[in-house]
Amino acid sequence: MGNEHARVGEIWYFALPVPYNTSSKPIEIKDVSVEHIPSGIRVLEYGAYDLNDTEGLPLLAKEGEPYTPKFAKLKNYATQPVRVAAGKESNIFYLAKMKITAPPKETARECRFAYEQSGQTYTQTLDCELELKVSG
């Protein structure tokens, strides 16, 4: 996932993988993060939004574009744990709001989810990658 025409100062939204609970018990997602953030990119915040509110998963979107959901006007579910039923995909997805502060030299990668199941705390890191290249 990426864009080769980004500019310093722009804000981008990067969707993390949609949580899918393959187990036989519900989970509650407590925290998410992109583990490797290269210099030149700063995460402003993480959000959690309903797929129905955004008309699907916006994998990568630039703030202010006509197709970009108005996240500031949508309900942000990140203020509380997100419950995912056993054997189900979540209706809630997470995204990172990122600002380009300088031309990034590497990709952002590795999405980490911290969750609880039956009173136990777990973390899982999934492959994800974002490359923003600053042009001209």
mmCIF file of all heavy atoms in Angstrom, residues 8-50:
data_model
loop_
_atom_site.group_PDB
_atom_site.id
_atom_site.type_symbol
_atom_site.label_atom_id
_atom_site.label_comp_id
_atom_site.label_asym_id
_atom_site.label_seq_id
_atom_site.Cartn_x
_atom_site.Cartn_y
_atom_site.Cartn_z
ATOM 1 N N VAL A 8 5.228 16.788 2.073
ATOM 2 C CA VAL A 8 5.461 17.117 3.472
ATOM 3 C C VAL A 8 4.315 18.011 3.941
ATOM 4 O O VAL A 8 3.896 18.924 3.236
ATOM 5 C CB VAL A 8 6.825 17.813 3.656
ATOM 6 C CG1 VAL A 8 6.986 18.348 5.070
ATOM 7 C CG2 VAL A 8 7.962 16.846 3.321
ATOM 8 N N GLY A 9 3.807 17.716 5.128
ATOM 9 C CA GLY A 9 2.705 18.477 5.712
ATOM 10 C C GLY A 9 1.349 17.816 5.521
ATOM 11 O O GLY A 9 0.397 18.147 6.221
ATOM 12 N N GLU A 10 1.239 16.872 4.594
ATOM 13 C CA GLU A 10 -0.046 16.202 4.357
ATOM 14 C C GLU A 10 -0.363 15.219 5.484
ATOM 15 O O GLU A 10 0.540 14.683 6.139
ATOM 16 C CB GLU A 10 -0.028 15.436 3.031
ATOM 17 C CG GLU A 10 -0.046 16.319 1.826
ATOM 18 C CD GLU A 10 0.008 15.557 0.517
ATOM 19 O OE1 GLU A 10 0.429 14.373 0.493
ATOM 20 O OE2 GLU A 10 -0.361 16.158 -0.497
ATOM 21 N N ILE A 11 -1.659 14.992 5.649
ATOM 22 C CA ILE A 11 -2.140 14.014 6.623
ATOM 23 C C ILE A 11 -2.795 12.877 5.853
ATOM 24 O O ILE A 11 -3.624 13.100 4.968
ATOM 25 C CB ILE A 11 -3.112 14.662 7.621
ATOM 26 C CG1 ILE A 11 -2.334 15.664 8.487
ATOM 27 C CG2 ILE A 11 -3.802 13.599 8.483
ATOM 28 C CD1 ILE A 11 -3.175 16.446 9.461
ATOM 29 N N TRP A 12 -2.404 11.653 6.216
ATOM 30 C CA TRP A 12 -2.909 10.444 5.570
ATOM 31 C C TRP A 12 -3.529 9.533 6.623
ATOM 32 O O TRP A 12 -3.072 9.481 7.760
ATOM 33 C CB TRP A 12 -1.770 9.717 4.866
ATOM 34 C CG TRP A 12 -1.284 10.430 3.654
ATOM 35 C CD1 TRP A 12 -0.422 11.489 3.613
ATOM 36 C CD2 TRP A 12 -1.639 10.158 2.305
ATOM 37 N NE1 TRP A 12 -0.227 11.877 2.311
ATOM 38 C CE2 TRP A 12 -0.957 11.080 1.488
ATOM 39 C CE3 TRP A 12 -2.478 9.209 1.707
ATOM 40 C CZ2 TRP A 12 -1.084 11.085 0.102
ATOM 41 C CZ3 TRP A 12 -2.589 9.215 0.322
ATOM 42 C CH2 TRP A 12 -1.910 10.142 -0.458
ATOM 43 N N TYR A 13 -4.542 8.797 6.200
ATOM 44 C CA TYR A 13 -5.191 7.785 7.035
ATOM 45 C C TYR A 13 -4.847 6.420 6.467
ATOM 46 O O TYR A 13 -5.057 6.158 5.280
ATOM 47 C CB TYR A 13 -6.709 7.969 7.033
ATOM 48 C CG TYR A 13 -7.158 9.290 7.601
ATOM 49 C CD1 TYR A 13 -7.434 10.372 6.769
ATOM 50 C CD2 TYR A 13 -7.297 9.462 8.975
ATOM 51 C CE1 TYR A 13 -7.848 11.581 7.289
ATOM 52 C CE2 TYR A 13 -7.715 10.677 9.497
ATOM 53 C CZ TYR A 13 -7.981 11.732 8.653
ATOM 54 O OH TYR A 13 -8.391 12.927 9.161
ATOM 55 N N PHE A 14 -4.323 5.553 7.325
ATOM 56 C CA PHE A 14 -3.900 4.209 6.925
ATOM 57 C C PHE A 14 -4.698 3.195 7.735
ATOM 58 O O PHE A 14 -4.608 3.160 8.962
ATOM 59 C CB PHE A 14 -2.397 4.058 7.192
ATOM 60 C CG PHE A 14 -1.849 2.679 6.988
ATOM 61 C CD1 PHE A 14 -2.048 1.997 5.801
ATOM 62 C CD2 PHE A 14 -1.117 2.065 7.989
ATOM 63 C CE1 PHE A 14 -1.527 0.728 5.604
ATOM 64 C CE2 PHE A 14 -0.585 0.795 7.817
ATOM 65 C CZ PHE A 14 -0.794 0.125 6.617
ATOM 66 N N ALA A 15 -5.501 2.387 7.045
ATOM 67 C CA ALA A 15 -6.321 1.383 7.719
ATOM 68 C C ALA A 15 -5.486 0.151 8.064
ATOM 69 O O ALA A 15 -4.779 -0.390 7.214
ATOM 70 C CB ALA A 15 -7.499 0.985 6.846
ATOM 71 N N LEU A 16 -5.579 -0.265 9.321
ATOM 72 C CA LEU A 16 -4.939 -1.497 9.760
ATOM 73 C C LEU A 16 -5.816 -2.675 9.317
ATOM 74 O O LEU A 16 -6.988 -2.474 8.985
ATOM 75 C CB LEU A 16 -4.773 -1.494 11.281
ATOM 76 C CG LEU A 16 -3.610 -0.671 11.843
ATOM 77 C CD1 LEU A 16 -3.757 0.806 11.564
ATOM 78 C CD2 LEU A 16 -3.470 -0.906 13.336
ATOM 79 N N PRO A 17 -5.281 -3.900 9.313
ATOM 80 C CA PRO A 17 -6.111 -5.041 8.927
ATOM 81 C C PRO A 17 -7.377 -5.124 9.791
ATOM 82 O O PRO A 17 -7.325 -4.881 10.996
ATOM 83 C CB PRO A 17 -5.199 -6.248 9.190
ATOM 84 C CG PRO A 17 -3.810 -5.697 9.112
ATOM 85 C CD PRO A 17 -3.910 -4.294 9.648
ATOM 86 N N VAL A 18 -8.501 -5.456 9.152
ATOM 87 C CA VAL A 18 -9.766 -5.588 9.883
ATOM 88 C C VAL A 18 -9.647 -6.798 10.818
ATOM 89 O O VAL A 18 -9.295 -7.894 10.374
ATOM 90 C CB VAL A 18 -10.955 -5.765 8.922
ATOM 91 C CG1 VAL A 18 -12.248 -5.993 9.690
ATOM 92 C CG2 VAL A 18 -11.084 -4.553 8.011
ATOM 93 N N PRO A 19 -9.929 -6.614 12.116
ATOM 94 C CA PRO A 19 -9.826 -7.735 13.057
ATOM 95 C C PRO A 19 -10.800 -8.871 12.715
ATOM 96 O O PRO A 19 -11.969 -8.629 12.407
ATOM 97 C CB PRO A 19 -10.197 -7.108 14.410
ATOM 98 C CG PRO A 19 -9.942 -5.648 14.230
ATOM 99 C CD PRO A 19 -10.259 -5.358 12.794
ATOM 100 N N TYR A 20 -10.280 -10.074 12.758
ATOM 101 C CA TYR A 20 -11.086 -11.282 12.549
ATOM 102 C C TYR A 20 -10.754 -12.254 13.674
ATOM 103 O O TYR A 20 -9.591 -12.616 13.851
ATOM 104 C CB TYR A 20 -10.780 -11.924 11.191
ATOM 105 C CG TYR A 20 -11.747 -13.024 10.844
ATOM 106 C CD1 TYR A 20 -12.893 -12.755 10.111
ATOM 107 C CD2 TYR A 20 -11.528 -14.334 11.262
ATOM 108 C CE1 TYR A 20 -13.795 -13.753 9.794
ATOM 109 C CE2 TYR A 20 -12.426 -15.341 10.965
ATOM 110 C CZ TYR A 20 -13.553 -15.041 10.225
ATOM 111 O OH TYR A 20 -14.458 -16.036 9.929
ATOM 112 N N ASN A 21 -11.752 -12.638 14.433
ATOM 113 C CA ASN A 21 -11.559 -13.536 15.571
ATOM 114 C C ASN A 21 -11.786 -14.972 15.103
ATOM 115 O O ASN A 21 -12.925 -15.384 14.890
ATOM 116 C CB ASN A 21 -12.537 -13.162 16.687
ATOM 117 C CG ASN A 21 -12.398 -14.046 17.905
ATOM 118 O OD1 ASN A 21 -11.564 -14.947 17.946
ATOM 119 N ND2 ASN A 21 -13.214 -13.798 18.903
ATOM 120 N N THR A 22 -10.716 -15.726 14.961
ATOM 121 C CA THR A 22 -10.824 -17.109 14.486
ATOM 122 C C THR A 22 -11.081 -18.096 15.623
ATOM 123 O O THR A 22 -11.288 -19.270 15.377
ATOM 124 C CB THR A 22 -9.533 -17.536 13.750
ATOM 125 O OG1 THR A 22 -8.427 -17.410 14.650
ATOM 126 C CG2 THR A 22 -9.304 -16.674 12.517
ATOM 127 N N SER A 23 -11.084 -17.617 16.853
ATOM 128 C CA SER A 23 -11.236 -18.513 18.005
ATOM 129 C C SER A 23 -12.713 -18.779 18.318
ATOM 130 O O SER A 23 -13.613 -18.196 17.717
ATOM 131 C CB SER A 23 -10.540 -17.925 19.233
ATOM 132 O OG SER A 23 -11.310 -16.863 19.761
ATOM 133 N N SER A 24 -12.932 -19.617 19.309
ATOM 134 C CA SER A 24 -14.298 -19.991 19.709
ATOM 135 C C SER A 24 -14.817 -19.144 20.868
ATOM 136 O O SER A 24 -15.885 -19.413 21.397
ATOM 137 C CB SER A 24 -14.337 -21.473 20.085
ATOM 138 O OG SER A 24 -13.460 -21.710 21.170
ATOM 139 N N LYS A 25 -14.054 -18.123 21.278
ATOM 140 C CA LYS A 25 -14.466 -17.225 22.366
ATOM 141 C C LYS A 25 -14.305 -15.777 21.920
ATOM 142 O O LYS A 25 -13.399 -15.463 21.157
ATOM 143 C CB LYS A 25 -13.619 -17.474 23.616
ATOM 144 C CG LYS A 25 -13.808 -18.847 24.212
ATOM 145 C CD LYS A 25 -12.917 -19.035 25.417
ATOM 146 C CE LYS A 25 -13.105 -20.455 25.960
ATOM 147 N NZ LYS A 25 -12.156 -20.743 27.019
ATOM 148 N N PRO A 26 -15.153 -14.873 22.420
ATOM 149 C CA PRO A 26 -15.033 -13.466 22.025
ATOM 150 C C PRO A 26 -13.732 -12.850 22.537
ATOM 151 O O PRO A 26 -13.143 -13.326 23.514
ATOM 152 C CB PRO A 26 -16.246 -12.802 22.667
ATOM 153 C CG PRO A 26 -16.672 -13.717 23.760
ATOM 154 C CD PRO A 26 -16.251 -15.095 23.361
ATOM 155 N N ILE A 27 -13.308 -11.789 21.851
ATOM 156 C CA ILE A 27 -12.137 -11.029 22.276
ATOM 157 C C ILE A 27 -12.535 -9.565 22.423
ATOM 158 O O ILE A 27 -13.536 -9.123 21.861
ATOM 159 C CB ILE A 27 -10.951 -11.150 21.292
ATOM 160 C CG1 ILE A 27 -11.317 -10.570 19.915
ATOM 161 C CG2 ILE A 27 -10.476 -12.587 21.190
ATOM 162 C CD1 ILE A 27 -10.139 -10.447 18.963
ATOM 163 N N GLU A 28 -11.737 -8.831 23.208
ATOM 164 C CA GLU A 28 -11.895 -7.388 23.324
ATOM 165 C C GLU A 28 -10.557 -6.747 22.981
ATOM 166 O O GLU A 28 -9.560 -6.966 23.680
ATOM 167 C CB GLU A 28 -12.326 -6.985 24.731
ATOM 168 C CG GLU A 28 -13.773 -7.263 25.007
ATOM 169 C CD GLU A 28 -14.247 -6.580 26.287
ATOM 170 O OE1 GLU A 28 -13.414 -6.145 27.110
ATOM 171 O OE2 GLU A 28 -15.472 -6.492 26.449
ATOM 172 N N ILE A 29 -10.546 -5.962 21.911
ATOM 173 C CA ILE A 29 -9.319 -5.283 21.487
ATOM 174 C C ILE A 29 -9.146 -4.041 22.349
ATOM 175 O O ILE A 29 -10.040 -3.202 22.444
ATOM 176 C CB ILE A 29 -9.377 -4.927 19.995
ATOM 177 C CG1 ILE A 29 -9.551 -6.214 19.182
ATOM 178 C CG2 ILE A 29 -8.120 -4.168 19.577
ATOM 179 C CD1 ILE A 29 -9.850 -5.986 17.730
ATOM 180 N N LYS A 30 -8.005 -3.939 23.001
ATOM 181 C CA LYS A 30 -7.722 -2.844 23.936
ATOM 182 C C LYS A 30 -6.852 -1.749 23.343
ATOM 183 O O LYS A 30 -6.940 -0.592 23.737
ATOM 184 C CB LYS A 30 -7.019 -3.392 25.187
ATOM 185 C CG LYS A 30 -7.770 -4.491 25.901
ATOM 186 C CD LYS A 30 -8.922 -3.934 26.680
ATOM 187 C CE LYS A 30 -9.524 -5.004 27.574
ATOM 188 N NZ LYS A 30 -10.506 -4.474 28.463
ATOM 189 N N ASP A 31 -5.965 -2.119 22.394
ATOM 190 C CA ASP A 31 -5.013 -1.147 21.872
ATOM 191 C C ASP A 31 -4.486 -1.636 20.521
ATOM 192 O O ASP A 31 -4.389 -2.848 20.295
ATOM 193 C CB ASP A 31 -3.847 -0.986 22.856
ATOM 194 C CG ASP A 31 -2.920 0.154 22.491
ATOM 195 O OD1 ASP A 31 -3.418 1.238 22.136
ATOM 196 O OD2 ASP A 31 -1.692 -0.044 22.565
ATOM 197 N N VAL A 32 -4.153 -0.692 19.645
ATOM 198 C CA VAL A 32 -3.523 -1.015 18.375
ATOM 199 C C VAL A 32 -2.388 -0.033 18.130
ATOM 200 O O VAL A 32 -2.376 1.066 18.679
ATOM 201 C CB VAL A 32 -4.518 -0.957 17.189
ATOM 202 C CG1 VAL A 32 -5.661 -1.934 17.374
ATOM 203 C CG2 VAL A 32 -5.026 0.449 16.962
ATOM 204 N N SER A 33 -1.452 -0.441 17.293
ATOM 205 C CA SER A 33 -0.381 0.472 16.900
ATOM 206 C C SER A 33 0.306 -0.062 15.656
ATOM 207 O O SER A 33 0.253 -1.251 15.361
ATOM 208 C CB SER A 33 0.642 0.638 18.025
ATOM 209 O OG SER A 33 1.269 -0.589 18.307
ATOM 210 N N VAL A 34 0.943 0.850 14.935
ATOM 211 C CA VAL A 34 1.863 0.475 13.873
ATOM 212 C C VAL A 34 3.230 0.477 14.536
ATOM 213 O O VAL A 34 3.662 1.498 15.082
ATOM 214 C CB VAL A 34 1.787 1.450 12.682
ATOM 215 C CG1 VAL A 34 2.806 1.065 11.621
ATOM 216 C CG2 VAL A 34 0.375 1.491 12.094
ATOM 217 N N GLU A 35 3.882 -0.658 14.546
ATOM 218 C CA GLU A 35 5.108 -0.837 15.323
ATOM 219 C C GLU A 35 6.315 -0.089 14.761
ATOM 220 O O GLU A 35 7.108 0.443 15.511
ATOM 221 C CB GLU A 35 5.445 -2.327 15.440
ATOM 222 C CG GLU A 35 4.488 -3.081 16.348
ATOM 223 C CD GLU A 35 4.605 -2.641 17.791
ATOM 224 O OE1 GLU A 35 5.522 -3.091 18.481
ATOM 225 O OE2 GLU A 35 3.772 -1.821 18.219
ATOM 226 N N HIS A 36 6.482 -0.118 13.451
ATOM 227 C CA HIS A 36 7.664 0.528 12.868
ATOM 228 C C HIS A 36 7.212 1.777 12.118
ATOM 229 O O HIS A 36 6.614 1.695 11.046
ATOM 230 C CB HIS A 36 8.400 -0.427 11.925
ATOM 231 C CG HIS A 36 9.588 0.209 11.272
ATOM 232 N ND1 HIS A 36 10.776 0.376 11.928
ATOM 233 C CD2 HIS A 36 9.759 0.745 10.045
ATOM 234 C CE1 HIS A 36 11.631 0.988 11.117
ATOM 235 N NE2 HIS A 36 11.037 1.217 9.964
ATOM 236 N N ILE A 37 7.480 2.928 12.695
ATOM 237 C CA ILE A 37 7.169 4.215 12.081
ATOM 238 C C ILE A 37 8.498 4.861 11.695
ATOM 239 O O ILE A 37 9.311 5.173 12.561
ATOM 240 C CB ILE A 37 6.394 5.138 13.053
ATOM 241 C CG1 ILE A 37 5.110 4.487 13.534
ATOM 242 C CG2 ILE A 37 6.132 6.491 12.388
ATOM 243 C CD1 ILE A 37 4.064 4.285 12.472
ATOM 244 N N PRO A 38 8.739 5.048 10.405
ATOM 245 C CA PRO A 38 10.026 5.631 10.000
ATOM 246 C C PRO A 38 10.100 7.120 10.318
ATOM 247 O O PRO A 38 9.080 7.785 10.485
ATOM 248 C CB PRO A 38 10.046 5.404 8.480
ATOM 249 C CG PRO A 38 8.611 5.382 8.088
ATOM 250 C CD PRO A 38 7.880 4.765 9.254
ATOM 251 N N SER A 39 11.316 7.633 10.388
ATOM 252 C CA SER A 39 11.467 9.075 10.550
ATOM 253 C C SER A 39 10.850 9.725 9.320
ATOM 254 O O SER A 39 10.908 9.189 8.215
ATOM 255 C CB SER A 39 12.933 9.457 10.713
ATOM 256 O OG SER A 39 13.654 9.094 9.561
ATOM 257 N N GLY A 40 10.223 10.865 9.533
ATOM 258 C CA GLY A 40 9.527 11.555 8.461
ATOM 259 C C GLY A 40 8.018 11.350 8.513
ATOM 260 O O GLY A 40 7.282 12.024 7.816
ATOM 261 N N ILE A 41 7.582 10.412 9.347
ATOM 262 C CA ILE A 41 6.147 10.179 9.551
ATOM 263 C C ILE A 41 5.873 10.222 11.041
ATOM 264 O O ILE A 41 6.600 9.619 11.841
ATOM 265 C CB ILE A 41 5.688 8.831 8.970
ATOM 266 C CG1 ILE A 41 5.815 8.841 7.449
ATOM 267 C CG2 ILE A 41 4.244 8.531 9.375
ATOM 268 C CD1 ILE A 41 5.422 7.552 6.781
ATOM 269 N N ARG A 42 4.822 10.941 11.429
ATOM 270 C CA ARG A 42 4.414 10.999 12.833
ATOM 271 C C ARG A 42 2.962 10.570 12.928
ATOM 272 O O ARG A 42 2.105 11.071 12.200
ATOM 273 C CB ARG A 42 4.576 12.421 13.365
ATOM 274 C CG ARG A 42 4.209 12.548 14.841
ATOM 275 C CD ARG A 42 4.655 13.878 15.428
ATOM 276 N NE ARG A 42 4.348 15.014 14.590
ATOM 277 C CZ ARG A 42 3.406 15.917 14.875
ATOM 278 N NH1 ARG A 42 2.706 15.831 15.981
ATOM 279 N NH2 ARG A 42 3.192 16.931 14.066
ATOM 280 N N VAL A 43 2.700 9.622 13.823
ATOM 281 C CA VAL A 43 1.324 9.201 14.072
ATOM 282 C C VAL A 43 0.668 10.240 14.973
ATOM 283 O O VAL A 43 1.149 10.509 16.075
ATOM 284 C CB VAL A 43 1.253 7.795 14.719
ATOM 285 C CG1 VAL A 43 -0.176 7.448 15.079
ATOM 286 C CG2 VAL A 43 1.832 6.746 13.790
ATOM 287 N N LEU A 44 -0.404 10.838 14.506
ATOM 288 C CA LEU A 44 -1.126 11.838 15.288
ATOM 289 C C LEU A 44 -2.102 11.173 16.248
ATOM 290 O O LEU A 44 -2.268 11.631 17.378
ATOM 291 C CB LEU A 44 -1.879 12.792 14.360
ATOM 292 C CG LEU A 44 -1.010 13.567 13.367
ATOM 293 C CD1 LEU A 44 -1.882 14.407 12.447
ATOM 294 C CD2 LEU A 44 0.002 14.433 14.096
ATOM 295 N N GLU A 45 -2.759 10.106 15.781
ATOM 296 C CA GLU A 45 -3.692 9.372 16.635
ATOM 297 C C GLU A 45 -4.134 8.101 15.926
ATOM 298 O O GLU A 45 -3.948 7.952 14.721
ATOM 299 C CB GLU A 45 -4.909 10.219 16.985
ATOM 300 C CG GLU A 45 -5.795 10.559 15.802
ATOM 301 C CD GLU A 45 -6.987 11.422 16.174
ATOM 302 O OE1 GLU A 45 -7.408 11.403 17.346
ATOM 303 O OE2 GLU A 45 -7.490 12.116 15.281
ATOM 304 N N TYR A 46 -4.730 7.220 16.718
ATOM 305 C CA TYR A 46 -5.367 6.027 16.188
ATOM 306 C C TYR A 46 -6.863 6.183 16.400
ATOM 307 O O TYR A 46 -7.304 6.738 17.404
ATOM 308 C CB TYR A 46 -4.869 4.769 16.911
ATOM 309 C CG TYR A 46 -3.432 4.441 16.597
ATOM 310 C CD1 TYR A 46 -2.405 4.860 17.433
ATOM 311 C CD2 TYR A 46 -3.098 3.729 15.453
ATOM 312 C CE1 TYR A 46 -1.080 4.574 17.138
ATOM 313 C CE2 TYR A 46 -1.774 3.446 15.145
ATOM 314 C CZ TYR A 46 -0.771 3.860 15.995
ATOM 315 O OH TYR A 46 0.536 3.571 15.696
ATOM 316 N N GLY A 47 -7.619 5.686 15.456
ATOM 317 C CA GLY A 47 -9.068 5.742 15.572
ATOM 318 C C GLY A 47 -9.666 4.380 15.246
ATOM 319 O O GLY A 47 -8.995 3.517 14.679
ATOM 320 N N ALA A 48 -10.932 4.209 15.608
ATOM 321 C CA ALA A 48 -11.674 2.981 15.309
ATOM 322 C C ALA A 48 -13.049 3.396 14.800
ATOM 323 O O ALA A 48 -13.766 4.137 15.478
ATOM 324 C CB ALA A 48 -11.791 2.105 16.551
ATOM 325 N N TYR A 49 -13.402 2.917 13.613
ATOM 326 C CA TYR A 49 -14.619 3.372 12.957
ATOM 327 C C TYR A 49 -15.416 2.191 12.409
ATOM 328 O O TYR A 49 -14.861 1.143 12.092
ATOM 329 C CB TYR A 49 -14.274 4.353 11.825
ATOM 330 C CG TYR A 49 -13.549 5.556 12.350
ATOM 331 C CD1 TYR A 49 -12.163 5.597 12.401
ATOM 332 C CD2 TYR A 49 -14.246 6.633 12.867
ATOM 333 C CE1 TYR A 49 -11.491 6.687 12.928
ATOM 334 C CE2 TYR A 49 -13.590 7.739 13.397
ATOM 335 C CZ TYR A 49 -12.214 7.752 13.421
ATOM 336 O OH TYR A 49 -11.553 8.823 13.961
ATOM 337 N N ASP A 50 -16.719 2.409 12.272
ATOM 338 C CA ASP A 50 -17.619 1.392 11.752
ATOM 339 C C ASP A 50 -17.519 1.356 10.228
ATOM 340 O O ASP A 50 -17.599 2.408 9.572
ATOM 341 C CB ASP A 50 -19.056 1.716 12.188
ATOM 342 C CG ASP A 50 -20.016 0.577 11.921
ATOM 343 O OD1 ASP A 50 -20.055 0.077 10.777
ATOM 344 O OD2 ASP A 50 -20.740 0.197 12.854
#
